[in-house]
Amino acid sequence: MANIYITDIAVVKPADLGPTPWRVQGLRAITIVFGKNGSGKSRFLRAWRDQNPDWTHYIVPERTGNIEYQPNLLQQQMEGSQRSGQGQRNFLNNYREQIVTRVQVYFAARGNVRVDQLPGDPADLEARLSTLLPDFAIALSGTKNPPYAVQRASDSTAVQNIDHLSSGEAQVLTVGLDILTVAAIWDIEGRKNRLMLIDEPDAHIHPDLQVRFADFLVGVAEKYKLQVAIATHSTTLLAAVGQFSGEEAGILYLDRVKEECHIEPFDKYKKEMAACLGGHALMGPLFGVPLLLVEGDDDYRIWSQVPRHHKVSFATIPANGDEIDQFQKNLEKLFEALRENAPGPAGYALLDGDKAVPTANVDRPQKHIKFVGLGCHEAENLYLTDEVLALTCGKTWTEASAAIKERAPEFGDKADRLSEVESWDRRTVDLKGFMVELMAILDPKNVHWTIRVARTIGEKRPTGQLAEFLGESLVTALWGSVPA
């Protein structure tokens, strides 16, 4: 990613916070601003915004209003400096109306055409919003009033106003639309510098949605070449941003007294610490909710969303590759000190099916965190199970493989491997490097494959081929034994 337009800044403090400016060095592509209440995070972001209002966008922390289009707000959304003027305080009473109205400004800048050769493709915006809120289908239009349509994916019920959404859904939808429309307008205009300052995006958002928002934000920043700063109190959001952006992220511990502030890179040690502090994760086992330690971003995307369907409860902690072994050891030691007379494991460390599950012994205890193995090669293989295919495209494997073979010639150097689909063993085939093509072929809405897998796993206790690919040990660990 590495979209860094500013590395060092001096920001004038408000008079009540002291006479010297904040001097910040080593800004990252994504900087997470941490600090106590009263440390000046919001005023720091606004003062930073005021240095370059034409290419900086600030999102206020208190966001209210209804999701409706108001033509009288069009002029205020036309220019960056006028948009900046809307965020002079911590709150904006008609924030949501401003954002919905900006959709029309976006179409005025781009034209109401759907071709991906032009920057700011509306299909990309819709896909990213649907990934952020997979329970909804979201469509944008430059010719309709309002210039959007939102439907619940489960029953196609239209969302007409704010009362049809939870507070968290409303926040995520409008903040996501705010970020995307400004990013797309900048892309259409060819802005050289693009700085996005987001003040407490986690407000009113459940930790699971914060994880999805972090994934969304990192993807948008990479696609639209944004440098981002986020003010937050949430360790969940901190952990998730660090997980998805890695060392592209840094932490700024803001102090109202200190003048010199240095960004601390989000290295693997901070990632481990943040994962353990990530919202409610470590509290889960103390209240009977198990942990699930997973390796890799895609596994994290899947398993962090499964509990949202309210059929099973666990808290997910991400690790990367071989780090899962060290995480397991550290958590084993931690819970040995915290848990007494434990009746069973506090959680599980999930390994891909191509790895051997370690045997518990004195040197490698698994009293509190037990290793379990996936029943298939990797998480990608779950996408081709009968149950996930039924949800994704309503096809059997015979129909899906025929579709893959038919369209294989479209995909260049991957065509030969895709054309061999009929010989694949769905359980063991290595699908890394082919998921984008499989989504394009199999999913008419091109929803990210991890969301399809998470929903299928989460809707009910896995059965059939999905249960086989997950593996009996994993299904039993999380859902318990099959009732007699």
Side-chain angles (χ1 to χ4, degrees):
M1 184 165 53
N3 304 310
I4 302 176
Y5 307 112
I6 301 175
T7 57
D8 306 318
I9 55 169
V11 176
V12 177
K13 289 180 183 176
D16 60 298
L17 295 184
T20 58
W22 283 295
R23 300 185 187 278
V24 182
Q25 298 179 344
L27 290 162
R28 312 290 287 185
I30 298 183
T31 298
I32 305 157
V33 183
F34 243 52
K36 299 177 182 178
N37 285 328
S39 62
K41 296 187 300 298
S42 294
R43 290 192 281 180
F44 168 75
L45 292 184
R46 289 199 296 273
W48 184 4
R49 180 271 317 275
D50 291 341
Q51 293 183 351
N52 303 102
D54 287 337
W55 50 269
T56 304
H57 183 63
Y58 169 70
I59 298 177
V60 299
E62 298 295 332
R63 303 171 286 267
T64 59
N66 203 351
I67 49 172
E68 63 183 25
Y69 173 66
Q70 292 191 359
N72 61 304
L73 299 176
L74 275 170
Q75 190 61 41
Q76 297 177 19
Q77 292 299 319
M78 294 294 288
E79 296 290 338
S81 57
Q82 293 190 52
R83 288 195 295 268
S84 296
Q86 302 304 306
Q88 295 299 322
R89 305 175 70 181
N90 273 5
F91 64 89
L92 188 59
N93 288 330
N94 64 349
Y95 170 80
R96 292 171 183 145
E97 290 90 340
Q98 296 273 1
I99 305 314
V100 170
T101 302
R102 193 188 306 136
V103 176
Q104 193 64 57
V105 176
Y106 152 73
F107 277 111
R110 187 181 193 275
N112 190 39
V113 291
R114 287 185 173 264
V115 290
D116 58 10
Q117 290 88 348
L118 297 177
D121 183 8
D124 181 70
L125 273 62
E126 292 165 348
R128 292 180 186 277
L129 287 170
S130 295
T131 299
L132 181 59
L133 283 169
D135 295 335
F136 297 88
I138 301 166
L140 305 177
S141 172
T143 60
K144 295 181 179 179
N145 183 7
Y148 72 92
V150 181
Q151 293 183 330
R152 290 194 178 275
S154 59
D155 57 8
S156 299
T157 300
V159 175
Q160 303 285 2
N161 57 55
I162 200 69
D163 297 328
H164 295 163
L165 297 169
S166 71
S167 59
E169 290 168 342
Q171 291 287 3
V172 167
L173 173 61
T174 49
V175 172
L177 199 55
D178 190 351
I179 294 168
L180 276 171
T181 49
V182 168
I185 289 170
W186 282 345
D187 206 35
I188 293 163
E189 295 172 345
R191 291 292 176 102
K192 181 179 179 181
N193 296 338
R194 310 173 187 189
L195 177 62
M196 185 77 65
L197 307 177
I198 310 173
D199 204 343
E200 298 191 16
D202 50 284
H204 309 295
I205 299 176
H206 187 274
D208 290 341
L209 265 178
Q210 292 180 37
V211 172
R212 193 181 292 154
F213 176 80
D215 192 13
F216 161 84
L217 180 61
V218 171
V220 173
E222 182 174 4
K223 166 71 175 179
Y224 291 97
K225 300 179 175 59
L226 308 179
Q227 185 174 4
V228 178
I230 311 161
T232 182
H233 296 284
S234 171
T235 54
T236 298
L237 186 60
L238 169 67
V241 170
Q243 174 64 26
F244 291 122
S245 61
E247 295 190 12
E248 298 283 358
I251 307 172
L252 169 60
Y253 295 100
L254 197 67
D255 189 308
R256 62 186 295 165
V257 176
K258 288 175 60 178
E259 178 180 351
E260 299 288 338
C261 302
H262 296 271
I263 305 298
E264 298 189 19
F266 207 97
D267 55 28
K268 66 178 183 179
Y269 303 106
K270 287 189 178 65
K271 185 180 290 189
E272 180 175 353
M273 177 185 70
C276 291
L277 291 173
H280 54 294
L282 286 188
M283 295 301 293
L286 304 182
F287 295 95
V289 177
L291 293 179
L292 184 64
L293 191 59
V294 300
E295 48 182 345
D297 289 353
D298 285 331
D299 294 70
Y300 186 39
R301 289 183 178 103
I302 292 169
W303 293 104
S304 63
Q305 298 306 316
V306 168
R308 287 189 55 78
H309 297 276
H310 310 292
K311 303 298 182 183
V312 64
S313 295
F314 52 84
T316 309
I317 291 182
N320 285 326
D322 294 337
E323 292 177 5
I324 197 168
D325 292 335
Q326 189 60 49
F327 273 44
Q328 189 272 343
K329 290 178 182 177
N330 292 346
L331 290 172
E332 188 73 22
K333 293 176 183 177
L334 177 65
F335 285 123
E336 181 64 24
L338 290 176
R339 302 174 80 221
E340 295 182 3
N341 303 318
Y348 303 89
L350 177 60
L351 300 178
D352 288 338
D354 60 343
K355 296 180 180 178
V357 175
T359 301
N361 54 46
V362 175
D363 297 323
R364 190 63 173 275
Q366 297 183 36
K367 177 181 177 182
H368 303 285
I369 303 294
K370 182 179 179 181
F371 282 100
V372 293
L374 199 62
C376 58
H377 181 67
E378 290 176 313
E380 285 83 352
N381 299 76
L382 299 171
Y383 189 59
L384 298 185
T385 59
D386 294 339
E387 292 77 10
V388 177
L389 286 174
L391 173 72
T392 301
C393 58
K395 296 182 185 295
T396 64
W397 173 238
T398 300
E399 294 167 334
S401 59
I404 295 169
K405 185 174 181 178
E406 180 181 356
R407 293 191 57 188
E410 300 175 21
F411 298 102
D413 58 356
K414 297 181 181 180
D416 289 345
R417 188 72 183 100
L418 289 169
S419 66
E420 298 169 354
V421 61
E422 292 172 344
S423 67
W424 290 359
D425 182 332
R426 285 185 278 170
R427 193 167 187 164
T428 61
V429 64
D430 187 351
L431 296 174
K432 280 198 183 301
F434 294 92
M435 296 309 295
V436 171
E437 291 75 21
L438 290 175
M439 285 189 293
I441 295 169
L442 296 176
D443 195 333
K445 296 184 178 180
N446 204 26
V447 174
H448 198 272
W449 69 270
T450 56
I451 292 175
R452 296 297 196 188
V453 171
R455 175 174 290 175
T456 311
I457 295 173
E459 286 184 340
K460 63 179 182 178
R461 181 191 177 97
T463 58
Q465 190 176 58
L466 179 61
E468 293 175 12
F469 280 37
L470 289 170
E472 182 179 355
S473 60
L474 176 59
V475 174
T476 301
L478 298 180
W479 281 268
S481 300
V482 178

